[in-house]
Amino acid sequence: MHTTVTVARTTTTAARDRLAAAYADYDAAAPASDAKTVRRQLFHYHTDLLVHVVDSDAPLSGVPDGPDLGAEVTVFDAAVPTAERYYHWLPGPVHPAMYSTLVVNRLVPSRRPQVAQLFADFDTTEAPHRMGTRRRQLFACGGVYFHLQDFETPDGGEVIAQAWKQADPRFIQICDDLDPLIDKYDPTTWRKPADAVAHRFYHWEAR
């Protein structure tokens, strides 16, 4: 399964509600031009960030198809239409019904190889399996870092919170190792790792 991540800006809850409704209508129609799409998810983070995640059974060329969003959405980075994936861990098959958790922070591009290597080392241990992680992908767009994890259950954010609360040694270690490399999206509001988890407000799967 191939994943495409696009990033934009939208500001109000009402706008997000209209976006969800527009995509629900679009996906219900299942246009032939979008037949490769098997799962779509919309996330929002902080006050303005909108993240569109599309899983497809074949690579998509460019930005995924969708409804005309008009003024509801503004461009995040015109020079970078889709986020760049620079790490992918997939220990087994992924089913579209898996639930994604999206962590958002900031990352200087030159640090991507170090961050990818830390996760590559972490993913050789039993820790991701113990947490229930079934796929991990790291993306970057315009200096923003996106850590996309697929879980078999819808409580991925709680799993992350519990690993922090229970001081899971490997989880704490990778958090400590990542801390000097990754910057908080908004340091004034961050208190714990769960504060970096985006909210999924739309989810569609092909039947």
Side-chain angles (χ1 to χ4, degrees):
M1 188 159 37
H2 303 265
T3 303
T4 303
V5 173
T6 57
V7 188
R9 296 189 188 279
T10 188
T11 56
T12 67
T13 300
R16 291 193 292 269
D17 290 344
R18 288 191 290 272
L19 280 174
Y23 271 108
D25 290 342
Y26 180 86
D27 290 327
S33 64
D34 206 25
K36 293 185 292 189
T37 300
V38 296
R39 179 172 65 166
R40 185 189 315 280
Q41 302 176 90
L42 297 178
F43 295 85
H44 75 83
Y45 183 71
H46 205 249
T47 59
D48 66 339
L49 210 58
L50 171 69
V51 186
H52 181 190
V53 179
V54 171
D55 285 307
S56 55
D57 57 15
L60 300 180
S61 56
V63 176
D65 291 339
D68 182 4
L69 303 178
E72 301 283 28
V73 172
T74 58
V75 173
F76 179 77
D77 187 339
V80 186
T82 60
E84 177 186 352
R85 187 175 74 178
Y86 59 96
Y87 178 75
H88 184 208
W89 175 73
L90 179 63
V94 171
H95 189 277
M98 288 186 180
Y99 193 101
S100 295
T101 298
L102 181 69
V103 172
V104 182
N105 281 302
R106 298 187 187 276
L107 180 64
V108 175
S110 62
R111 296 175 179 171
R112 290 182 200 171
Q114 293 169 270
V115 171
Q117 187 59 55
L118 285 172
F119 277 110
D121 294 342
F122 179 77
D123 288 334
T124 62
T125 72
E126 77 287 353
H129 302 280
R130 190 169 60 245
M131 292 178 69
T133 304
R134 293 295 173 260
R135 179 171 67 161
R136 186 188 319 280
Q137 301 178 85
L138 303 181
F139 294 84
C141 183
V144 182
Y145 157 98
F146 302 99
H147 178 185
L148 186 66
Q149 294 181 76
D150 279 306
F151 293 90
E152 291 180 349
T153 57
D155 59 348
E158 181 61 25
V159 168
I160 295 170
Q162 284 299 315
W164 176 264
K165 184 178 179 181
Q166 295 171 4
D168 179 285
R170 289 194 186 278
F171 181 78
I172 296 299
Q173 183 61 58
I174 195 168
C175 287
D176 289 345
D177 291 340
L178 290 169
D179 190 59
L181 301 174
I182 294 176
D183 299 317
K184 309 301 183 288
Y185 188 85
D186 182 357
T188 64
T189 60
W190 192 93
R191 297 293 179 273
K192 56 190 182 302
D195 293 337
V197 176
H199 174 69
R200 186 174 77 169
F201 67 97
Y202 178 73
H203 179 213
W204 171 86
E205 296 171 17
R207 301 298 180 189

